Amino acid sequence: MKYVEIPEKKEPNPKNDNRKEKSSRQSPGSGPWLWGIIAAVVFLLLINNFLAPAITERAMMQTDYGTFIAKVEQDSVKQVVISDNQIIYTTDHCTYRTGPVDDPHLVDRLLAAGSPNKDGKIEFVKKINNQRSPIIDFLMWWILPGLLFWIFYRAMFRRIGRSSADGGGLGLGNFMSFGQSGAKVYADTDIKTRFDDVAGQDEAKASLQEMVDFLHNPKKYTALGAKLPKGALLVGPPGTGKTLIARAVAGEANVPFFSMSGSEFVQMFVGMGAAKVRDLFNEASKKAPCIIFIDEIDAIGKSREGTFSNNDEREQTLNQLLTEMDGFEGDKGVIILAATNRPDSLDKALLRPGRFDRRIQMELPDLEGRKAIIQVHLKHVKHDTIDLDVVGRATAGSSGADLANIVNEAALRAVRQGKDAVTTDDLEESVETVMAGEQRKNAVISPAEKRIIAYHEVGHAMVAAAQSQSAPVHKITIIPRTSGALGYTMQVDEGEHFLYSRQELLNKIATLTGGRVAEEIICNTCTTGASNDIEQATNLARAMVTRYGMSDRYGMMALESRGNTYLDGGSRLACSDSTAADIDNEVKTIIAQAKDKAAALITERLDKMHAVAEYLLEKETITGEEFMSILNK
Ligand code: ADP
Ligand code: MG
Ligand code: ZN
């Protein structure tokens, strides 16, 4: 007789099922996929534990205990497997099953009975339960793979499936409301930003000040029958302080601030984004007066027209947003701010009155603005008296974010040099660091190359200085930078420029060609160092022809349509192929003429070129004043 122990197939374990469900309740709002996984696990459990055994057992013929005993006594049974809840036995032809009966003589009967087997005995087996604890089994087969799956998903969809900060309790009852919005609720005290922290941008501040006033004192407005705009759209290039000013509004108004980024609405599943929008507005109306801020709204507010790839999710989210904005009464005290740097791509429906009807333009700061921004950021830094004018002029075209970065770099530099306060020098140096990278002091450059670099840079400066309208040089340096620049000429605009005349642009192009011209005339060579100059000159010349209407041939004809004005979006030629070829010729002529002009200017001043280049090779850096004094000798 064999007595074998076969590990039994898993039995249904309702206790474990409960635990699974409980644990899922404890982690609410971790995203729809988690629910999906839980559903899948429960489904698998059901299949494994109830359905599969039921199917295999159904296939076996069931007999009663009497028949079983009768068959045993007829010696037709070959094998018996006894488990706690059933007995499975095999005869010559078939496998049957029967319910167990508390029969103390069963073993005796089986032993006594003969069988057609060789040894004349029935082979019978008592099936015993798993030695492994069912809990370990459960962990191994269900929790572990589930966990791996979960980690995988988490890594893949971290951005989208951001878990909510304030999701309420979630039972199975409100399974459908899993899209609890992830909007962070900032308490009043959370926001320390004030309008004072935003330098410049006075028009934007004035416009927003009205909204703050409304939140403080709505009666003043409603008494007169005035309705305040529901929403304002902050528009401007990156880094101009849109996010900052929105926070300042909330800080000034001292109301809750719901801040969400447009991309947070775009979910993997259709309908989730819309649910989030609904949640956000629900929550906000409970906390009114308050401010809702949707950063980078273009992620959901992109125009629905003209896209070939249909994005249902984004469209639904946008529709929900439009509906919610309509549903708000103006006097409820919920103000919706949104920020974008791609206003041209926004859906028209978002911009109509009653929605984001106020448009607040945030522009790159002018000289005064830059000085003010530097001052704001210097407040947090120990510093000597700073010549703001110098730094302000050197940072033309920088955004607020650039300036904040420059001040911080200056502070870092001061620390590196063991100073206890930031000086103007630090700021000037950090302007260059931010624009061109760190100095590469130990880069080895051969004397021959150094000479070419020096003449190249002096060439730019000389042409710039020779053309009266060109801005005077501020500084020339041939210290290589980590950005790859081997040297550069910093030109400083005297005043703020909003317009450029045709002549100024032509002068600019001539200045750009000056580097290469000097290489050719003096060093008798041409190098790759001019690639950036060439690119800039070409872009400028092309823009003159296609966008600024400055060519004789085409006059005021738009030959190009621009993509985005704030991001350097590409532009598309809007003309026939033959015109496109013509444009190239036109561009070529403009640059060639500019180059001829530069060559003439440099040839006239060869002595001065040599003098400045020598000085530069010796000192590596030459300031505008030194340059001019050599020039005027
Ligand atoms: P964006 O317009 O891209 O949202 P941010 O508001 O995020 O720009 O600005 C980034 C950082 O730049 C701010 O945290 C702030 O330090 C600085 N900054 C930008 N504009 C200003 C400004 N007008 N005044 C002071 N700091 C500014
Ligand atoms: Mg921003
Ligand atoms: Zn150059």
Side-chain angles (χ1 to χ4, degrees):
M1 182 193 78
K2 296 180 205 151
Y3 198 88
V4 203
E5 287 184 357
I6 310 169
E8 198 175 6
K9 242 189 134 180
K10 238 168 281 108
E11 294 298 319
N13 198 337
K15 203 173 86 206
N16 286 344
D17 281 3
N18 284 344
R19 179 171 320 133
K20 182 71 201 162
E21 228 159 76
K22 219 190 312 166
S23 75
S24 69
R25 271 198 210 111
Q26 281 161 353
S27 57
S30 321
W33 40 268
L34 183 55
W35 285 104
I37 292 166
I38 290 166
V41 168
V42 170
F43 182 62
L44 279 172
L45 268 173
L46 287 176
I47 290 242
N48 259 287
N49 292 313
F50 297 107
L51 234 49
I55 287 168
T56 48
E57 276 166 26
R58 195 65 30 90
M60 276 183 245
M61 234 183 292
Q62 192 156 9
T63 60
D64 60 19
Y65 195 72
T67 318
F68 168 49
I69 294 300
K71 287 206 168 142
V72 167
E73 268 152 18
Q74 282 164 20
D75 289 349
S76 59
V77 175
K78 277 174 156 180
Q79 192 192 34
V80 180
V81 178
I82 305 162
S83 45
D84 286 343
N85 55 359
Q86 65 184 0
I87 295 168
I88 294 170
Y89 62 96
T90 315
T91 64
D92 278 332
H93 322 287
C94 244
T95 302
Y96 300 90
R97 103 193 139 92
T98 182
V101 169
D102 195 10
D103 181 357
H105 306 297
L106 176 61
V107 174
D108 291 341
R109 278 184 213 201
L110 287 173
L111 286 175
S115 86
N117 275 6
K118 268 182 259 151
D119 56 357
K121 296 285 179 219
I122 295 179
E123 182 181 308
F124 80 94
V125 172
K126 165 87 176 129
K127 207 166 173 184
I128 61 158
N129 270 327
N130 253 342
Q131 309 101 306
R132 243 179 317 174
S133 125
I135 293 182
I136 298 220
D137 230 41
F138 180 77
L139 285 177
M140 246 185 73
W141 293 105
W142 299 105
I143 299 292
L144 198 67
L147 213 63
L148 289 177
F149 201 58
W150 186 72
I151 289 168
F152 174 73
Y153 253 80
R154 188 97 201 155
M156 273 190 73
F157 297 103
R158 184 170 300 149
R159 278 189 62 82
I160 302 166
R162 191 164 298 162
S163 59
S164 76
D166 59 338
L170 282 176
L172 286 179
N174 52 358
F175 191 76
M176 281 318 290
S177 68
F178 42 60
Q180 294 278 331
S181 84
K184 292 186 192 69
V185 182
Y186 286 101
D188 305 354
T189 48
D190 269 349
I191 296 193
K192 304 240 161 41
T193 315
R194 294 289 180 274
F195 277 147
D196 282 346
D197 297 318
V198 188
Q201 311 291 5
D202 292 329
E203 297 79 13
K205 276 198 256 182
S207 192
L208 290 166
Q209 180 64 52
E210 205 177 39
M211 300 202 163
V212 172
D213 198 39
F214 174 82
L215 287 175
H216 278 166
N217 191 0
K219 287 218 184 70
K220 185 168 116 192
Y221 291 81
T222 47
L224 223 139
K227 273 199 214 114
L228 214 81
K230 273 186 209 169
L233 187 65
L234 300 160
V235 173
T240 44
K242 299 184 293 295
T243 310
L244 185 73
I245 209 169
R247 292 183 63 78
V249 171
E252 290 279 342
N254 204 17
V255 294
F257 183 63
F258 293 83
S259 161
M260 250 182 140
S261 158
S263 58
E264 281 175 66
F265 291 110
V266 183
Q267 295 279 334
M268 203 172 62
F269 299 108
V270 173
M272 294 294 299
K276 270 198 171 184
V277 172
R278 222 174 301 129
D279 284 344
L280 177 64
F281 279 80
N282 270 342
E283 201 70 14
S285 63
K286 276 185 228 151
K287 293 241 161 66
C290 66
I291 291 172
I292 295 178
F293 177 53
I294 304 174
D295 209 352
E296 317 288 353
I297 195 175
D298 45 277
I300 46 170
K302 236 179 263 162
S303 174
R304 287 165 292 185
E305 292 282 325
T307 43
F308 289 109
S309 62
N310 228 343
N311 190 335
D312 277 346
E313 165 62 358
R314 199 166 47 74
E315 238 170 64
Q316 275 203 17
T317 310
L318 176 57
N319 285 337
Q320 187 66 38
L321 181 65
L322 296 176
T323 320
E324 293 289 351
M325 287 191 77
D326 278 344
F328 262 101
E329 287 309 317
D331 50 8
K332 232 188 183 169
V334 179
I335 284 181
I336 305 154
L337 297 178
T340 181
N341 35 37
R342 311 173 57 186
D344 42 315
S345 75
L346 288 185
D347 200 286
K348 291 281 174 293
L350 261 181
L351 302 174
R352 77 146 168 75
R355 291 192 181 124
F356 290 109
D357 34 15
R358 211 172 252 207
R359 188 176 168 128
I360 297 172
Q361 207 76 29
M362 309 278 288
E363 288 302 340
L364 285 176
D366 55 10
L367 179 60
E368 287 311 310
R370 290 198 297 274
K371 287 201 231 168
I373 293 174
I374 293 168
Q375 215 157 18
V376 162
H377 287 281
L378 276 175
K379 263 191 228 154
H380 311 291
V381 175
K382 254 198 215 159
H383 61 91
D384 291 347
T385 31
I386 301 283
D387 190 344
L388 284 175
D389 210 57
V390 170
V391 189
R393 280 183 197 289
T395 47
S398 301
S399 69
D402 292 332
L403 294 170
N405 189 17
I406 284 169
V407 172
N408 190 47
E409 282 290 337
L412 291 176
R413 182 173 187 266
V415 171
R416 258 200 308 268
Q417 304 201 334
K419 295 187 205 164
D420 50 4
V422 174
T423 62
T424 310
D425 274 353
D426 292 324
L427 277 166
E428 280 195 276
E429 175 57 34
S430 79
V431 170
E432 288 175 50
T433 308
V434 168
M435 287 178 175
E438 294 278 351
Q439 294 188 354
R440 275 167 56 200
K441 286 243 169 66
N442 44 9
V444 183
I445 295 173
S446 71
E449 274 187 354
K450 203 123 205 161
R451 185 165 169 270
I452 297 175
I453 296 166
Y455 274 107
H456 177 109
E457 295 305 331
V458 177
H460 284 306
M462 195 62 77
V463 175
Q467 302 174 112
S468 49
Q469 281 117 317
S470 275
V473 276
H474 175 70
K475 190 177 183 180
I476 312 170
T477 140
I478 52 168
I479 300 170
R481 298 268 167 176
T482 46
S483 68
L486 296 169
Y488 59 87
T489 305
M490 266 174 84
Q491 290 192 36
V492 178
D493 284 328
E494 268 303 295
E496 277 303 309
H497 252 304
F498 297 103
L499 295 173
Y500 286 94
S501 67
R502 180 165 190 267
Q503 192 55 49
E504 280 169 323
L505 289 181
L506 289 175
N507 287 350
K508 226 173 168 159
I509 296 173
T511 303
L512 284 166
T513 59
R516 165 60 65 82
V517 169
E519 286 176 19
E520 282 177 354
I521 294 182
I522 296 161
C523 309
N524 256 326
T525 171
C526 63
T527 68
T528 53
S531 63
N532 186 28
D533 302 336
I534 294 171
E535 198 180 318
Q536 282 188 42
T538 311
N539 285 347
L540 249 151
R542 182 170 289 273
M544 284 176 71
V545 179
T546 60
R547 302 212 321 264
Y548 303 144
M550 287 178 180
S551 65
D552 298 330
R553 198 185 164 95
Y554 291 105
M556 282 181 61
M557 182 177 173
L559 298 170
E560 205 179 59
S561 61
R562 288 276 278 168
N564 188 291
T565 29
Y566 293 129
L567 313 169
D568 299 323
S571 45
R572 262 177 306 121
L573 277 182
C575 58
S576 72
D577 286 352
S578 71
T579 311
D582 245 20
I583 293 172
D584 292 339
N585 281 328
E586 201 76 4
V587 170
K588 190 175 147 195
T589 316
I590 291 179
I591 296 174
Q593 280 171 359
K595 199 178 163 199
D596 287 347
K597 184 181 172 194
L601 290 173
I602 285 179
T603 328
E604 278 168 27
R605 294 169 174 79
L606 277 182
D607 296 347
K608 307 254 155 108
M609 285 287 294
H610 292 307
V612 179
E614 247 155 59
Y615 187 96
L616 186 59
L617 277 168
E618 191 190 332
K619 300 259 162 97
E620 292 205 317
T621 304
I622 179 170
T623 65
E625 287 96 59
E626 290 166 333
F627 179 84
M628 291 316 273
S629 76
I630 296 177
L631 215 60
N632 295 331
K633 233 182 235 165

